[in-house]
Amino acid sequence: MSKRDLLHRLEALEALHRQPTPAPLAGQETISVATIGHHTYEGPGHCRADIYGTICGAHRDEHQLIDEDDLP
């Protein structure tokens, strides 16, 4: 890939990032961005992790990705 092609792609990406965020679609729900870092996501679907008798139930995107090296 030439330097010119790379610069063209970067400029195209920057142009995309400058565009405003589109309005939510009808029926679209917002997912909380609260960080859940105390356990590993257990899917599929909503998290099925049992935390001291309570099922997490949070969406996969609400879980913080943690390196396995950082786990106790």
Side-chain angles (χ1 to χ4, degrees):
M1 175 183 296
S2 70
K3 184 176 180 180
R4 180 176 292 174
D5 290 339
L6 182 61
L7 288 173
H8 179 70
R9 286 185 180 201
L10 286 173
E11 289 170 353
L13 284 173
E14 288 173 347
L16 284 173
H17 287 290
R18 284 193 296 268
Q19 293 180 359
T21 304
L25 301 173
Q28 186 176 7
E29 295 181 22
T30 303
I31 298 172
S32 170
V33 294
T35 300
I36 301 173
H38 60 278
H39 70 276
T40 304
Y41 166 75
E42 296 178 19
H46 291 301
C47 182
R48 295 178 286 149
D50 186 346
I51 307 167
Y52 304 106
T54 303
I55 302 299
C56 172
H59 189 274
R60 177 181 58 140
D61 293 342
E62 292 182 90
H63 288 74
Q64 178 182 9
L65 297 176
I66 302 172
D67 289 335
E68 291 183 13
D69 297 335
D70 295 339
L71 293 175

